[in-house]
Amino acid sequence: MEDSPVRGPLLLLAGRANRPLAGEIGDALGTSIEGVTIYNFADGEIFVRIDRNARGRDVFIIQPTVANADNMMELLLLIDAARRASAEHVTAVVPYFGYGRQDRKDQPRVSIAAKLVANLIVAAGADRLVSIDFHQHQIQGFFDIPVDHLYAAPVFTGHFRRKQFSNLVVVAPDVGSAKMARGFAKRLGAPFAVIDKRRPAANVSEVLHVVGDVEGRTCLITDDMIDTGGTIAQAITALKDRGAGRVYVAATHALLSADAVEKLEASPLEELVVTNTIHVPDAKRFDRLRILSVADLLARAITCIHSNASVSKLFELRDRKGRARVALA
């Protein structure tokens, strides 16, 4: 569905997956996220009802799809409810896009779950999707609707610029993260290095080499997510073994599954910086964890979409002559 020149009034709704982030976005936009009734029946089925008038309105639904699958189902029901309530536009704001790691058929008889999830969101009735730091950029192509792929890099780089490192090197924890690390390095004016690793099994990795100069330097490892923490813990150890100084980690999505917190607390980590795309419960928080908010970034993106303005301007860098150019990573 093509965007009309003038949109209906904005209506912001939220599922239950990350109410604190949704509330921050609402505050930034000067509107409320209240107006949805959601509960589970005794057998676990989810009930969704929109309690505010959605007819002709520009509806934005905030719901990360972190496991378990109920969060995905809740998003689909909210989209369907908005569509059946005659919303003019329905935009799914999915700060963390679950199932993104299953984006290709890399072994026999497996599902490409990321494509299936994209199909479900489109089939439910979404006109547009907004997300932050897909696991792989090509996931945008899985959707038959417009996708605004946002980057948390400006949020992170602002935090690390304030630390005024003099000998920083940005490190990609694997080859797949090299583009992201290069983007951070460009924004921070630092060189970058790459860790060469292999995965003998799911959630298991082995560091083989470190490509780049890290000796005596402050290292910043960047990644789109941190799950069990094994890859990051090994990367920190490998950098320390090669003479690195302090090691910082920036990861957009803080899954922190299984014993990730214990692994990270036991590692020589200086600071783990994540965003609030996923709500981090108190039980998973520790002294060296810093959580940055993406609420302002998402609020500005929603404002751009609602006013039919460019979203890419949120990521512009300027050269020495003041000319704008878009840095997508």
Side-chain angles (χ1 to χ4, degrees):
M1 182 183 296
E2 294 185 359
D3 292 339
S4 61
V6 179
R7 288 173 175 258
L10 187 147
L11 176 61
L12 191 66
L13 305 175
R16 296 176 293 180
N18 196 341
R19 297 282 294 181
L21 172 59
E24 287 185 42
I25 295 170
D27 290 343
L29 293 171
T31 189
S32 172
I33 62 168
E34 302 303 325
V36 177
T37 297
I38 306 173
Y39 60 81
N40 292 77
F41 291 112
D43 64 352
E45 283 189 8
I46 301 169
F47 173 83
V48 165
R49 184 183 66 232
I50 299 174
D51 299 323
R52 297 161 68 185
N53 179 26
R55 184 178 297 273
R57 301 188 70 172
D58 192 12
V59 177
F60 291 82
I61 299 169
I62 303 166
Q63 175 80 343
T65 53
V66 62
N68 59 42
D70 278 1
N71 290 321
M72 174 64 67
M73 191 66 192
E74 197 169 293
L75 172 64
L76 299 176
L77 292 172
L78 283 164
I79 294 170
D80 183 64
R83 180 57 64 208
R84 293 178 187 278
S86 301
E88 181 184 14
H89 295 88
V90 180
T91 300
V93 181
V94 185
Y96 169 72
F97 181 76
Y99 290 89
R101 284 174 284 185
Q102 300 180 54
D103 63 335
R104 62 196 181 280
K105 189 175 179 183
D106 56 355
Q107 52 186 297
R109 298 174 297 281
V110 297
S111 167
I112 304 179
K115 172 59 176 170
L116 174 61
V117 169
N119 288 345
L120 290 170
I121 291 173
V122 173
D127 297 299
R128 178 180 291 270
L129 180 114
V130 178
S131 192
I132 299 178
D133 285 338
F134 282 140
H135 188 61
Q136 296 292 343
H137 287 221
Q138 66 262 24
I139 291 174
Q140 297 172 74
F142 292 175
F143 289 86
D144 295 324
I145 56 175
V147 174
D148 291 299
H149 184 205
L150 309 182
Y151 301 89
V155 178
F156 284 123
T157 52
H159 172 76
F160 287 108
R161 278 198 197 99
R162 289 188 288 272
K163 293 183 180 293
Q164 299 183 330
F165 295 127
S166 59
N167 60 345
L168 180 69
V169 58
V170 180
V171 181
D174 53 41
V175 174
S177 302
K179 183 175 181 180
M180 184 178 190
R182 191 179 295 113
F184 270 76
K186 185 185 299 182
R187 286 178 174 273
L188 293 170
F192 83 102
V194 180
I195 293 177
D196 178 25
K197 72 174 186 182
R198 69 183 184 97
R199 283 194 178 276
N203 289 126
V204 178
S205 64
E206 295 177 1
V207 173
L208 302 178
H209 306 285
V210 176
V211 182
D213 181 19
V214 300
E215 186 174 359
R217 288 179 171 269
T218 298
C219 294
L220 170 59
I221 302 172
T222 62
D223 210 348
D224 65 301
M225 68 174 66
I226 182 165
D227 188 1
T228 63
T231 294
I232 294 299
Q234 286 192 355
I236 295 168
T237 300
L239 293 173
K240 284 290 190 177
D241 289 345
R242 288 159 178 79
R246 293 176 295 171
V247 180
Y248 293 79
V249 176
T252 305
H253 309 298
L255 296 168
L256 299 176
S257 307
D259 59 346
V261 172
E262 288 76 6
K263 288 177 185 174
L264 294 167
E265 284 191 307
S267 73
L269 168 72
E270 189 73 21
E271 183 180 54
L272 170 62
V273 186
V274 301
T275 75
N276 60 344
T277 56
I278 297 170
H279 176 64
V280 181
D282 291 341
K284 292 185 178 181
R285 302 191 181 201
F286 56 100
D287 290 343
R288 286 173 284 166
L289 176 68
R290 175 72 181 272
I291 302 174
L292 305 180
S293 179
V294 292
D296 182 65
L297 173 64
L298 288 168
R300 286 186 290 145
I302 289 170
T303 299
C304 289
I305 295 166
H306 181 60
S307 61
N308 290 316
S310 171
V311 175
S312 60
K313 70 180 182 181
L314 300 177
F315 304 99
E316 284 181 350
L317 293 176
R318 295 190 176 270
D319 60 21
R320 293 179 180 178
K321 295 183 179 180
R323 295 173 298 192
R325 56 187 176 84
V326 176
L328 294 180

